[in-house]
Amino acid sequence: MLFWLAVAVLAAAVTFAVTRPLLQDDKRSDETSSADVAVYKDQLLEIVADRDRGVMSDGEADAARTEIARRLLRQVDRAGGTAANKPGAGRTRGVNTTPVFFAASLALPLASLGLYVTYGEPGRPAQPLSQRLAAPAAGASTNDLIAKVEATLQKNPQDGRGWDVIAPVYLAEGRASDAASAYATAMRLLGENASRLQGFADARIRAENGVVPDDAKVALKALLTAEPQRREPRIWLALAKEQDGDRAGAAADYRALLAEAPKDAPWRQAIEERLQLVERGPVADAPSTPAKPGSATVDARAAEVAAMTPEQRDAMIASMVTGLAERLKSEKTDLIGWQKLIRAYQVLGRKDDVAKALTDARTGLAGDEARLRELEDWVKQLGLSG
Amino acid sequence: MIIEFGHFALILALLVAAFQTVVPAWGARVNDGRLMRVAEPAAVSQLFLLLIAFCALMHAYVTSDFSVANVAINSHSTKPLIYKISGVWGNHEGSMLLWVLILALFGAAVAVFGNNLPATLKANVLAVQASIALAFLLFIVLTSDPFARLAQPPADGNGLNPILQDPALAFHPPFLYTGYVGFSIAFSFAVAALIEGRVDAAWARWVRPWTLAAWMFLTIGIAMGSWWAYYELGWGGWWFWDPVENASFMPWLAGTALLHSALVMEKREALKVWTILLAILTFSLSLMGAFIVRSGVLTSVHSFAVDPERGVFILGILVVFTGGALALFALRAKDMRFGGLFAPISREGSLVFNNLLLVTSTATVLIGTLYPLLLEATTGDKISVGPPFFNMTFGPLMLPLLLAMPFGPLLAWKRGDVLAAAQRLMFAAMAAVVVLAVAYAAFERGPWIAPFGIALGAFVMFGAVTEWATRIKLGTAQFDEVARRAVNLPRSNYGTLLAHFGIGLMVVGIVATTAYQQERILVMKPGDTVEIGGFELAFKGAVPGRGPNYREDIAQFDVTRGGAAVTRLEPSKRLYDAPPQPTTESGIHASWRGDLYVVIGDEQTPGSYAVRAYFNPLVRFIWLGALIMFVGGGISLSDRRLRVGAPRKSRRSAPIAAE
């Protein structure tokens, strides 16, 4: 309300200020030539002043004066001529300005409001960081919460618990390098434990797009020493061997893993595929291309999600999905976004949401033939109806 | 709410600009005083509204309001306050907002201070000024909205590019823009004169000081940019003939020409048509600078094609205003009455010479800047026109200009005597010869031509002083008389003295540092020493440090000269937190002889660093010269007198050459 009041006052004040002259008397005289005459008279005075200061000699001053006097005479002649040709030229009231006044008084505020409503977000409050940090945690967005923890850590960088809290959040947000350094700081301050080691290794691998860097190897080995029954570190270390060119070593590790694996282990198939690739020959650079279904990176993400408690995991997934759905409300033409959202609902088993998202996507993409066709093809592939 | 209020003010400013474009111009056409008078409150309102919008955006930056997309992309909560403020114009949208704000500031100044202008001229000038504002406001609202909001404000912003987090660069754009946009006043006056088909006597009286103000700010703005590049980019150079630099240098060259021709026009009512053309060209070059820098054609012509919206828009603005003004010029110029007459050898004649050379050199820079872009656009070949091209073309053009520079002010108006001027310059020439000898003695190595360049700079400096000495009759009159004359000499003459002296000083600095720079590139371990420019540099090792939003490795060098301790230099390598980018901070020891300049590169083996050390002789003269020029401009500007040039009376009725 206050906002609209302020907008109205500003629009009214400016409109009044700029249109006011239209209602006043036209008290203009023909000053065009008189302005010129004034300049020449000023120049004549200037010459006298310059001569008195000794800047011009008497001879120079005389010459300059003669010249300007000539211009002045010419101007006076011309002004006389104009006045004779157009008697009262200066006082002609060319137009009736009252309609101009009313048109402008209406057009200025209305058009600016119209444009503003189109381009602006009326009444949306400012969200300065300090205010977001002060808001209660319940109901705050992930970003606000991150900002809060970051602000605390800025003030007190030795707070290991803070780093511990924010590291997995960074990882979930896709900020892998930030997550890695947060895990590293937490380990420096609070010491190593299994979840930090694993988080650090995951973050580093993800930051390197699926390549296992040396510091991640060190962390994975430490993790394995602490908890020898874990399998993910062994998978990663085998993959690291493969990436380093040690194909025989990698194959041996994969076989060892398979030998121990329960028959119904969900990761069994992935390991078998890798083993085949390693044994087949030197084309096995698949892990460096991220996010192919069944590739190492996706497995790693799955492993990382698996490391969370079930509550954490659900909360994380729910927040990611909601965030995506929110974003798509404004970015209706984002085909990939829609595909991700529909997939997510499908995986979560939210059938009603799948149907709704599909309808929304179709409306959102309505103007774009190519993308719409792409969406339909994809829907067919997925075996979704309707 | 403040953000949205600022957004509304911006849009209202757009409509006021449209109103101010149409109504006063119509009023001037039908000669209606009321229609014309709306221009004044409209110009002031525009300034007021854009100030609201600008302050709203600045408020968002200072309070780190990341719900504003522009703030989220370009700011960060841990940035020091000064860079939160300078971040407002450290990006495309904000800098365009600053551009229209300064445009409105100039327009409002004409409205408020232009009481002695003829009503139609004032109305037309303000209408043209508003049409420029209208074009840029449309550009901002339609393609570059600084107030766009984010549905989900991120936890923190992306941060400002660290190399821009620097005091000199924080204030470089406002100065530069004041310069660019200041030329819009000359442009508006030129177009208004063309619309009216006549040049009022008040015209030049107005155009000269505004051009001077714009020129001053452009001078200091370019100098700040060059100084920043010198100490921040870590290459030890001060000018790279980079297209971005050229974009600001071309308006400066044309503006310098305009300044001199506007002077002729005010004093002598000559060169009217030429001055109008120059005013149009100067502002067009400013617009082209904006296009080159803002459209993305620089990174690649193809990146322009990828996101053409903004580039095409600015190109459209450029075509409409330049093309429109030039078409109007072609239509109307022939009807303009030519002004005063003068002989080829005269003050006017020397200024025409100055104009021709400056315009030619502008064209040279223009070709060197645009040719690679055009070639890439047509054939796809990427070439780079580097310093060799500019040194081969621009340098020789400057030579006659600098040689003639001391003569100009010594020639009389209307008809001059070049021999008398030469006689007066004998002292300056002799002093320059002495400098030549000293330069040869001081720098035994280096190109043979360099001492001549230094002597030329000295000739310009001494020539400027000679002009002053002649005016106050130094050496020919009694001391009392000299002192009286020195006090009475108009400030505008002191302005000329300082501006020309500054140029000379700059030439000396440029030649010396280009010809005699010393460079050492090596890897140093703690304990190593290197000798350069008469200094010994001892590397003590590097220590880590932490700033408000960066970590750094600070290398420590003890500098001695002939065994005596001089200073300790601490160049560093910084890694900023957000965005995570490295920058180099150079360690500079400034002395009158020159700068000792050290930067460190990557750590090679633990503890040892790649080190680049330079000795740049007399490099400070370059920026000192620019500062003196700025001060000279300010002194001249403070002189509110009308300028009248007294003609030399003809001794006999000699034939007089036309303009």
Side-chain angles (χ1 to χ4, degrees), chain A residues 111-313:
Chain A
S112 54
L113 268 180
L115 269 178
Y116 170 68
V117 172
T118 317
Y119 288 102
E121 295 186 33
R124 172 139 181 229
Q127 287 167 273
L129 193 62
S130 53
Q131 197 180 310
R132 283 166 64 198
L133 296 180
S141 74
T142 324
N143 286 336
D144 287 4
L145 293 176
I146 295 179
K148 263 181 205 257
V149 180
E150 278 179 344
T152 324
L153 288 173
Q154 184 74 33
K155 265 185 245 132
N156 182 13
Q158 301 303 314
D159 175 12
R161 237 172 33 83
W163 292 110
D164 224 10
V165 169
I166 202 157
V169 184
Y170 279 148
L171 199 54
E173 291 280 308
R175 291 164 64 179
S177 347
D178 287 337
S181 69
Y183 275 119
T185 316
M187 285 195 278
R188 182 166 57 78
L189 296 169
L190 302 177
E192 295 178 355
N193 70 11
S195 76
R196 285 179 205 132
L197 282 168
Q198 183 180 6
F200 176 77
D202 286 353
R204 287 292 294 132
I205 294 165
R206 206 186 299 179
E208 301 289 329
N209 281 329
V211 175
V212 185
D214 286 345
D215 49 2
K217 276 188 236 166
V218 173
L220 289 165
K221 281 175 189 155
L223 178 60
L224 209 52
T225 325
E227 301 190 356
Q229 77 283 7
R230 278 182 178 255
R231 290 211 180 79
E232 326 88 77
R234 291 171 57 195
I235 303 178
W236 278 120
L237 287 169
L239 199 63
K241 281 187 187 164
E242 188 184 328
Q243 286 163 356
D244 293 344
D246 178 8
R247 311 168 71 80
D253 286 0
Y254 286 137
R255 281 199 199 90
L257 276 162
L258 284 175
E260 296 168 23
K263 274 271 176 298
D264 55 347
W267 43 268
R268 222 192 139 88
Q269 193 194 344
I271 301 283
E272 277 164 354
E273 279 171 16
R274 290 238 59 89
L275 182 60
Q276 277 172 10
L277 282 173
V278 175
E279 285 173 336
R280 197 181 302 151
V283 281
D285 52 355
S288 60
T289 55
K292 254 190 193 151
S295 82
T297 314
V298 172
D299 294 346
R301 287 202 189 140
E304 161 211 317
V305 173
M308 294 178 165
T309 64
E311 290 85 358
Q312 273 179 337
R313 190 164 48 214

Side-chain angles (χ1 to χ4, degrees), chain B residues 55-97:
Chain B
C55 290
L57 188 62
M58 191 180 282
H59 180 263
Y61 267 88
V62 170
T63 60
S64 292
D65 187 342
F66 298 121
S67 70
V68 179
N70 193 250
V71 182
I73 295 167
N74 298 300
S75 193
H76 192 275
S77 62
T78 59
K79 222 165 45 167
L81 182 64
I82 175 181
Y83 302 128
K84 282 184 185 167
I85 293 173
S86 72
V88 175
W89 53 77
N91 62 81
H92 171 77
E93 289 84 357
S95 69
M96 290 323 291
L97 191 58

Side-chain angles (χ1 to χ4, degrees), chain B residues 522-526 528-530 537-539 557 604 607-611:
Chain B
L522 69 168
V523 175
M524 290 178 90
K525 318 189 280 294
D528 283 0
T529 59
V530 62
L537 269 170
F539 181 46
F557 291 91
Q604 303 290 324
S608 72
Y609 284 83
V611 174

Side-chain angles (χ1 to χ4, degrees), chain A residues 325-358:
Chain A
E326 276 303 318
R327 186 168 66 78
L328 287 170
K329 274 185 192 160
S330 53
E331 299 170 24
K332 293 186 169 62
T333 52
D334 181 0
L335 173 64
I336 297 176
W338 284 117
Q339 292 176 335
K340 271 190 198 161
L341 184 68
I342 292 167
R343 268 301 281 270
Y345 282 143
Q346 206 188 8
V347 171
L348 292 173
R350 288 154 67 171
K351 288 209 174 92
D352 290 351
D353 286 330
V354 171
K356 187 173 170 304
L358 194 51

Side-chain angles (χ1 to χ4, degrees), chain B residues 72-411:
Chain B
I73 295 167
N74 298 300
S75 193
H76 192 275
S77 62
T78 59
K79 222 165 45 167
L81 182 64
I82 175 181
Y83 302 128
K84 282 184 185 167
I85 293 173
S86 72
V88 175
W89 53 77
N91 62 81
H92 171 77
E93 289 84 357
S95 69
M96 290 323 291
L97 191 58
L98 179 67
W99 174 285
V100 290
L101 177 68
I102 296 175
L103 200 63
L105 185 71
F106 278 104
V110 173
V112 171
F113 300 117
N115 293 325
N116 50 1
L117 287 172
T120 49
L121 177 63
K122 189 175 180 182
N124 276 325
V125 167
L126 287 174
V128 176
Q129 188 78 8
S131 69
I132 303 170
L134 176 62
F136 277 96
L137 282 166
L138 269 177
F139 174 67
I140 293 177
V141 170
L142 297 180
T143 73
S144 315
D145 186 359
F147 294 107
R149 305 294 291 268
L150 290 174
Q152 297 244 315
D156 214 324
N158 291 350
L160 176 67
N161 187 338
I163 64 167
L164 303 183
Q165 297 189 26
D166 180 274
L169 212 63
F171 298 102
H172 159 74
F175 279 108
L176 203 61
Y177 280 16
T178 309
Y180 276 155
V181 176
F183 289 129
S184 70
I185 294 287
F187 176 85
S188 296
F189 268 87
V191 174
L194 290 171
I195 291 173
E196 296 199 347
R198 60 190 293 273
V199 180
D200 298 282
W203 199 92
R205 186 188 188 179
W206 266 83
V207 168
R208 201 237 339 129
W210 288 100
T211 309
L212 179 57
W215 176 88
M216 277 170 62
F217 283 106
L218 195 56
T219 305
I220 203 73
I222 296 174
M224 276 173 123
S226 147
W227 183 46
W228 167 80
Y230 172 70
Y231 71 73
E232 177 72 30
L233 297 184
W235 303 332
W238 50 274
W239 189 261
F240 304 100
W241 291 111
D242 176 275
V244 177
E245 289 172 328
N246 294 347
S248 63
F249 191 47
M250 287 184 279
W252 187 87
L253 285 171
T256 309
L258 174 62
L259 191 62
H260 288 93
S261 80
L263 198 72
V264 176
M265 193 163 156
E266 179 178 12
K267 289 197 166 188
R268 307 285 309 145
E269 287 213 344
L271 299 184
K272 282 182 181 178
V273 177
W274 172 245
T275 305
I276 288 178
L277 181 62
L278 264 185
I280 294 172
L281 290 181
T282 303
F283 185 60
S284 299
L285 287 167
S286 295
L287 286 179
M288 201 189 68
F291 168 70
I292 289 183
V293 176
R294 290 278 152 235
S295 64
V297 291
L298 279 188
T299 36
S300 161
V301 176
H302 307 293
S303 78
F304 170 61
V306 170
D307 182 18
E309 191 181 18
R310 288 176 176 172
V312 168
F313 206 117
I314 300 193
L315 193 60
I317 294 177
L318 180 63
V319 168
V320 167
F321 282 95
T322 308
L326 288 179
L328 200 60
F329 180 81
L331 222 65
R332 286 295 178 87
K334 60 180 184 299
D335 302 334
M336 299 260 181
R337 213 171 49 79
F338 281 80
L341 306 175
F342 54 86
I345 301 286
S346 63
R347 185 87 70 85
E348 291 97 323
S350 72
L351 287 166
V352 169
F353 183 68
N354 141 311
N355 269 221
L356 289 178
L357 286 172
L358 281 172
V359 170
T360 315
S361 52
T362 311
T364 314
V365 179
L366 185 70
I367 291 168
T369 310
L370 289 190
Y371 177 68
L373 294 177
L374 291 178
L375 191 72
E376 192 192 340
T378 48
T379 67
D381 293 341
K382 249 186 177 321
I383 60 158
S384 128
V385 170
F389 168 80
F390 293 103
N391 294 345
M392 292 285 290
T393 53
F394 187 78
L397 280 169
M398 287 296 108
L399 201 67
L401 186 65
L402 292 169
L403 270 176
M405 209 162 127
F407 284 88
L410 288 170
L411 293 175

Side-chain angles (χ1 to χ4, degrees), chain B residues 565-579:
Chain B
V566 177
T567 184
R568 161 170 279 204
L569 290 182
E570 303 199 321
S572 69
K573 256 165 65 78
R574 286 182 185 169
L575 182 67
Y576 277 76
D577 299 339

